[in-house]
């Protein structure tokens, strides 16, 4: 009864804890000591980072395969780790339950432009998109538009030393890998400054193209769906070769930054029936396998829902799902191991009755950091507590039976507060 969880931030921690509490032997694989690797429910194993060494990562998995008495389930929690497994799915399947979709599907989902074309051809409601070298084709009817990095994984076309791989790892990975050339550094700076940039007019878009003309091919431009992060809705699934067996629905209550940021508070919440039907249809079209997140955004002016992206792996607040009666990590493990036979399960708890919070980050955001750009999101301590109070509260950093991750999270938030305070002082002195 073994599972290997890759890339063990809070996403991985919640999966580790859920499986460990059910008696599964969990190994936390990462290229550095992340919060999930400190859990009492996991054994930490340092491994190559597939962002910069996909071949080494796969070789590592094959080398350790004989250590396990059973056939472990692989559960990646990050795009480029999922892509590495998908690219070697057949080879790894001799020793593991791979737990991811096939390479064609994963590569499609992580390429924003290619996925947009695929979805448009099948009449799924996605924003229109154009690559950075196609900006002359953007019609006036598309504005406002948003520019963002196109490739989220860093391992396209099996190029282990690709520029994009290095860029993504420096921006969102562990910072390891070779040094950049001057050209690569220019792309790093451009992408780090523009994870999402919104343009109301063509003149604004043209200024962006001129400023980043040397790296513009790394961006995709999409129609912008108006609204803040609280208009983001998640339909999370576990599917077995296209058949959805478990489904969770929820809404992001707060992200940081508040317009486009990662989820800091999320809650169980129903979505329109047509979105659930769409997710099931799309999973079947893709032959989707494993845990996945279908992320929608509701336009605040029209009320229309758009499919923003599909993440071919677990997502940051998957830790909410066990409390809603649909434990996607457990389903993903048990179904692939044939431990249990599952009938279709769907979360059906009352809206807002279950809340997930990354409290060590959301509290300082609400008390202080939102003031910088969106002061209307600032809250007093009492207002903050009222905003997360619910029948069931899942706190990402706190578990009575697993204290070391709490200590790790405390160090992280302390480091952040010190760094942010110093940055603020330097800004005032400048």
């Amino acid at each position: 009864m073994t599972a290997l969880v890759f890339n063990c931030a809070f996403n991985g921690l919640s999966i580790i804890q859920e499986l460990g509490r059910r008696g599964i032997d969990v190994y936390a694989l990462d290229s550095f000591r992340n919060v999930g690797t400190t859990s009492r429910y996991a054994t930490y194993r340092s491994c190559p980072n597939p962002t910069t060494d996909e071949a080494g990562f796969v070789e590592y998995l094959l080398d350790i395969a004989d250590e396990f008495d059973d056939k472990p389930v692989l559960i990646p929690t990050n795009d480029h780790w999922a892509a590495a497994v998908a690219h070697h799915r057949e080879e790894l399947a001799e020793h593991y339950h791979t737990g991811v979709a096939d390479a064609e599907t994963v590569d499609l989902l992580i390429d924003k432009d290619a996925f947009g074309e695929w979805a448009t051809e099948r009449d799924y409601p996605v924003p229109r998109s154009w690559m950075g070298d196609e900006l002359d084709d953007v019609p006036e009817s598309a504005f406002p538009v948003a520019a963002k990095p196109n490739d989220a994984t860093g391992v396209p076309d099996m190029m282990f030393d690709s520029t994009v791989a290095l860029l993504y790892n420096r921006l969102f990975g562990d910072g390891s890998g070779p040094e950049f050339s001057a050209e690569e550094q220019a792309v790093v700076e451009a992408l780090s400054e523009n994870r999402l940039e919104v343009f109301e007019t063509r003149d604004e878009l043209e200024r962006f193209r001129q400023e980043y003309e040397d790296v513009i091919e790394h961006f995709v431009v999409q129609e912008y769906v108006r609204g803040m992060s609280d208009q983001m809705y998640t339909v999370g699934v576990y599917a077995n070769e296209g058949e959805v067996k478990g489904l969770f629905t929820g809404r992001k209550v707060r992200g940081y930054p508040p317009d486009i940021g990662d989820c800091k508070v999320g809650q169980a919440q129903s979505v329109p029936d047509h979105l659930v039907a769409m997710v099931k249809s799309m999973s079947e079209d893709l032959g989707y396998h494993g845990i996945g997140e279908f992320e929608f955004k509701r336009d605040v002016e029209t009320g229309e829902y758009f499919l923003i992206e599909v993440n071919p792996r677990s997502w940051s607040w998957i830790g909410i799902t066990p409390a809603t009666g649909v434990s996607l990590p457990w389903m993903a493990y048990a179904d692939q191991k044939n431990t249990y036979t599952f009938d279709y399960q769907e979360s059906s708890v009352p809206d807002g009755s279950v809340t997930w919070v990354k409290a060590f980050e959301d509290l300082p955001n609400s008390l202080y950091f939102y003031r910088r750009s969106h002061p209307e999101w600032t809250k007093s301590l009492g207002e903050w507590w009222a905003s997360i109070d619910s029948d069931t509260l899942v706190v990402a950093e706190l578990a009575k039976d697993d204290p070391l991750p709490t200590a790790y999270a405390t160090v992280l938030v302390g480091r952040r507060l010190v760094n942010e305070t110093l940055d603020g002082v330097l800004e005032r002195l400048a």
Side-chain angles (χ1 to χ4, degrees):
M1 300 278 285
T2 310
L4 275 59
V5 178
F6 310 150
N7 192 254
C8 303
F10 285 96
N11 180 347
L13 172 64
S14 62
I15 296 173
I16 289 166
Q17 290 173 334
E18 171 65 2
L19 296 183
R21 289 168 182 147
R22 292 177 179 267
I24 308 304
D25 292 328
V26 184
Y27 287 80
L29 271 63
D30 214 323
S31 56
F32 67 106
R33 271 288 189 178
N34 213 328
V35 62
T37 68
T38 67
S39 173
R40 65 182 289 260
Y41 291 110
T43 300
Y44 170 54
R45 299 292 293 268
S46 177
C47 66
N49 190 324
T51 311
T52 51
D53 187 8
E54 183 172 309
F57 172 67
V58 173
E59 183 179 358
Y60 175 83
L61 289 177
L62 295 175
D63 285 345
I64 67 172
D66 291 339
E67 297 181 18
F68 308 109
D69 296 330
D70 62 339
K71 192 173 183 179
V73 176
L74 305 181
I75 305 180
T77 70
N78 179 285
D79 284 347
H80 52 281
W81 297 67
V85 174
H87 292 157
H88 300 271
R89 192 184 188 207
E90 184 174 344
E91 183 180 6
L92 290 170
E94 297 180 14
H95 308 280
Y96 300 98
H97 298 283
T98 53
V100 297
D102 60 73
E104 181 180 1
T105 298
V106 172
D107 288 343
L108 172 69
L109 296 178
I110 59 185
D111 186 317
K112 294 178 176 62
D113 185 61
F115 174 68
E117 291 183 7
W118 181 91
T120 300
E121 290 172 358
R122 291 158 179 80
D123 294 324
Y124 292 118
V126 294
R128 290 177 291 175
S129 64
W130 300 265
M131 289 301 296
D133 56 1
E134 301 171 337
L135 299 189
D136 290 334
D137 298 333
V138 179
E140 291 298 329
S141 61
F143 287 88
V145 297
K148 53 187 175 182
N150 182 51
D151 192 326
T153 67
V155 284
D157 302 322
M158 302 291 287
M159 295 177 63
F160 307 120
D161 60 345
S162 70
T163 298
V164 179
L166 299 175
L167 301 178
Y168 186 88
N169 195 43
R170 287 299 176 89
L171 290 172
F172 311 118
D174 63 17
S176 63
E179 292 298 320
F180 289 113
S181 66
E183 179 181 356
E184 291 168 342
Q185 185 63 39
V187 184
V188 169
E189 294 174 357
L191 295 183
S192 62
E193 293 170 357
N194 297 280
R195 289 187 65 179
L196 186 81
E197 186 83 10
V198 179
F199 310 104
E200 298 289 341
T201 67
R202 185 174 299 280
D203 287 343
E204 292 177 2
L205 179 60
E206 183 60 30
R207 285 194 291 271
F208 177 82
R209 173 163 61 178
Q210 292 176 5
E211 183 175 359
Y212 297 105
E213 60 181 343
D214 293 338
V215 296
I216 198 69
E217 70 273 12
H218 293 285
F219 289 92
V220 61
V221 171
Q222 291 182 333
E223 291 179 293
Y224 179 63
V225 183
R226 291 155 293 198
M228 304 289 279
S229 57
D230 59 354
Q231 298 301 312
M232 301 296 297
Y233 293 78
T234 283
V235 180
V237 303
Y238 166 67
N240 191 324
E241 303 298 342
E243 178 188 359
V244 174
K245 294 196 168 187
L247 185 142
F248 160 82
T249 62
R251 179 177 69 88
K252 185 186 294 185
V253 176
R254 281 192 294 278
Y256 186 83
D259 50 353
I260 62 168
D262 296 333
C263 184
K264 305 306 175 188
V265 181
Q267 68 180 28
Q269 185 161 322
S270 57
V271 301
D273 291 343
H274 75 275
L275 298 187
V276 172
M278 184 192 310
V279 167
K280 292 178 180 178
S281 173
M282 189 175 296
S283 297
E284 185 176 358
D285 286 349
L286 293 166
Y288 191 79
H289 187 76
I291 297 171
E293 181 196 25
F294 294 73
E295 193 167 34
F296 295 87
K297 187 175 183 182
R298 177 182 176 274
D299 190 292
V300 293
E301 293 190 14
T302 67
E304 186 177 0
Y305 290 83
F306 289 88
L307 178 63
I308 300 301
E309 64 182 352
V310 181
N311 292 311
R313 37 78 182 171
S314 61
W315 68 99
S316 63
W317 51 296
I318 193 173
I320 194 175
T321 64
T324 68
V326 183
S327 176
L328 296 182
W330 171 241
M331 293 187 75
Y333 178 85
D335 186 59
Q336 292 179 81
K337 293 285 285 186
N338 293 316
T339 302
Y340 293 98
T341 300
F342 288 99
D343 294 326
Y344 172 74
Q345 298 179 16
E346 183 174 326
S347 60
S348 58
V349 296
D351 289 354
S353 62
V354 181
T355 299
W356 177 94
V357 58
K358 202 169 182 181
F360 287 18
E361 293 187 25
D362 186 57
L363 178 57
N365 290 343
S366 297
L367 295 179
Y368 177 71
F369 292 118
Y370 284 134
R371 295 180 185 178
R372 298 181 179 181
S373 59
H374 293 81
E376 68 277 13
W377 280 50
T378 303
K379 299 182 183 301
S380 68
L381 182 60
E383 290 170 335
W384 175 77
W385 176 252
S387 74
I388 64 171
D389 190 21
S390 57
D391 294 343
T392 302
L393 181 63
V394 179
V395 181
E397 303 96 336
L398 298 179
K400 292 181 180 178
D401 60 342
D402 199 12
L404 280 181
T406 301
Y408 187 99
T410 302
V411 171
L412 289 181
V413 73
R415 182 185 303 168
R416 178 197 179 194
L417 291 173
V418 169
N419 290 339
E420 295 274 5
T421 300
L422 289 175
D423 288 344
V425 171
L426 292 174
E427 286 179 9
R428 287 192 293 272
L429 293 176

